Amino acid sequence: MRIDVLTLFPGMFRDFLSESIIKRAQKKKKVNIRIHNIRDYSTDKHKKADDKPFGGGPGMVMNIEPIYNALKHIVGRRTAARGRERSEAKPPRRGRRAEQSGAYPKGTRVILLSPQGEKFEQKTAKRL
């Protein structure tokens, strides 16, 4: 199993991934976890990945560009590794799951987290 994590804070994962069950699973090649810094995929000269909310208000929102570029890069590399020829990964068509639209290799799941989303519980983890 391969897990790619996109984050603005890759350093937060170093200790977590080098301990306990996760460390043993990686050592036995049961799971391959890769951490990607979203800022590395920003085209902004300052590697900016967030912006002020449209319409004002407190807080910040994520720019879609670096997230989309990261997904495109990761999926492109995974597709090439599987021997498929695809010049560019396309985003899923509206209203369809990515794996149904052919945008990603079969069996790939893309899970985007949001503060407005449902609470992540054990039941959801088992379903996914």
Side-chain angles (χ1 to χ4, degrees), residues 20-67:
S20 192
I21 290 175
I22 301 292
K23 179 182 179 180
R24 290 193 307 267
Q26 290 183 95
K27 206 174 214 178
K28 292 180 180 181
K29 304 214 184 290
K30 300 284 184 186
V31 66
N32 180 0
I33 301 173
R34 296 181 184 195
I35 308 300
H36 305 271
N37 187 343
I38 293 172
R39 293 181 197 285
D40 292 343
Y41 299 94
S42 175
T43 57
D44 181 84
K45 71 178 183 177
H46 301 293
K47 298 297 182 189
K48 194 169 142 185
D50 53 5
D51 202 356
K52 296 175 185 165
F54 297 102
M60 299 292 276
V61 295
M62 295 290 299
N63 283 334
I64 190 61
E65 181 194 39
I67 296 169

Side-chain angles (χ1 to χ4, degrees), residues 46-106:
H46 301 293
K47 298 297 182 189
K48 194 169 142 185
D50 53 5
D51 202 356
K52 296 175 185 165
F54 297 102
M60 299 292 276
V61 295
M62 295 290 299
N63 283 334
I64 190 61
E65 181 194 39
I67 296 169
Y68 175 76
N69 290 341
L71 281 172
K72 192 166 73 168
H73 175 80
I74 293 164
V75 171
R77 291 186 72 177
R78 291 185 78 178
T79 301
R82 291 181 182 198
R84 296 186 181 143
E85 293 183 14
R86 184 178 290 168
S87 62
E88 184 176 314
K90 297 175 185 161
R93 286 179 274 173
R94 184 173 229 189
R96 298 185 71 194
R97 290 173 54 179
E99 59 194 26
Q100 292 172 332
S101 70
Y104 305 111
K106 187 175 181 164

